[in-house]
Amino acid sequence: MDRLPGPASTVYRILRSAWRDFISIYYANTPTWRLLKSAALAFLGFGCWASGNLLLSVQPDWTWLNYLIAYGVLLVFYGPFTHIVVVPLAIRWRRRPQGFLNTLGKRISKINITFFIVLVIALGATAPGFMFLDFGAYGGDAPDVDPTLNCERVDGVVECTLSDEPGIHEVVVSTGGEELYRFTEPPYEWTVEEDELYESQGVRRLQVDVYGEDGNRLRRLVQRFR
């Protein structure tokens, strides 16, 4: 690496030093370090989870946010698990004589990170409902409106109903930014061909926005179909 040009050599040294610092922190195994790393990763995971959901509530077509949300959900639990369980095992097994556990100890961190990445991709692609938070309510003075959305698929047709509650002035049904229905009075019932729903990564989305009398959005409900 000494043959690299001056700027490239400097960048390489900085990157190598940063990598060594990262590795030393990653394998720091005192109780204090384990607690600090676990708390930091759990906090980062929750931040990614919440911010991804918040952005998705504003831009429902940004389906790439599913991967950010999946990363956050998993990191909340996987980060502490890694530094409380996996890293101590890796250190302990690497100190053992040559054998299976010694070999596994040298590779378990890479296996752990690879498995985490695979989980993020799988969870982001399937987008299960438990990943998503409800940021549909807006405004501290808005009425507490929480209608129930029920949708069923029958022979390629999606049939939906939204419960009527005091405070609902208007209901807008859309998919992929395209408005399908607009209701100003109950009953809030509609049907739509499944093929008409916006699809991304194998998931079809139907969005229902509920508005109050002053025009403020009170609730956003999203129904997903696979």
Side-chain angles (χ1 to χ4, degrees):
M1 294 299 176
D2 294 338
R3 298 180 180 179
L4 289 174
S9 179
T10 301
V11 170
Y12 172 76
R13 286 197 301 271
I14 293 173
L15 292 176
R16 184 174 60 178
S17 177
W19 174 251
R20 288 176 176 174
D21 291 341
F22 171 78
I23 291 297
S24 65
I25 294 174
Y26 181 85
Y27 282 106
N29 196 41
T30 64
T32 301
W33 267 113
R34 276 183 279 176
L35 178 62
L36 286 173
K37 290 185 292 183
S38 298
L41 290 174
F43 182 78
L44 174 62
F46 182 79
C48 292
W49 183 11
S51 60
N53 272 279
L54 183 59
L55 285 172
L56 194 62
S57 71
V58 178
Q59 296 290 344
D61 297 332
W62 289 3
T63 53
W64 58 268
L65 287 169
N66 290 347
Y67 294 97
L68 176 63
I69 296 170
Y71 173 80
V73 169
L74 288 171
L75 193 61
V76 168
F77 307 99
Y78 212 91
F81 171 77
T82 295
H83 290 286
I84 293 174
V85 177
V86 176
V87 172
L89 282 178
I91 294 173
R92 188 181 311 155
W93 289 346
R94 290 175 70 164
R95 292 172 179 171
R96 296 176 71 92
Q98 292 296 324
F100 173 75
L101 289 181
N102 177 270
T103 302
L104 182 59
K106 294 177 179 179
R107 292 174 171 77
I108 191 171
S109 293
K110 293 179 180 178
I111 295 172
N112 183 60
I113 293 174
T114 301
F115 186 61
F116 174 76
I117 293 173
V118 170
L119 283 178
V120 169
I121 295 173
L123 205 61
T126 56
F130 71 84
M131 293 197 321
F132 302 99
L133 304 173
D134 183 10
F135 286 98
Y138 293 87
D141 298 329
D144 184 13
V145 177
D146 189 16
T148 300
L149 175 64
N150 290 312
C151 292
E152 294 184 359
R153 286 184 292 186
V154 180
D155 297 329
V157 177
V158 177
E159 301 176 351
C160 297
T161 60
L162 184 75
S163 62
D164 181 25
E165 293 193 9
I168 296 180
H169 181 71
E170 188 174 50
V171 174
V172 178
V173 182
S174 61
T175 181
E178 178 183 354
E179 182 178 316
L180 300 177
Y181 294 95
R182 182 179 292 266
F183 301 96
T184 56
E185 60 182 21
Y188 307 119
E189 302 175 354
W190 64 90
T191 61
V192 59
E193 295 287 338
E194 189 173 352
D195 291 342
E196 295 180 18
L197 297 178
Y198 173 79
E199 181 178 2
S200 177
Q201 301 173 348
V203 179
R204 298 183 186 274
R205 296 167 55 92
L206 181 69
Q207 179 176 300
V208 180
D209 290 312
V210 180
Y211 295 89
E213 189 173 1
D214 56 2
N216 290 332
R217 188 172 68 203
L218 306 177
R219 187 72 60 182
R220 167 170 287 174
L221 306 171
V222 178
Q223 186 76 42
R224 296 174 176 82
F225 305 93
R226 302 188 184 288

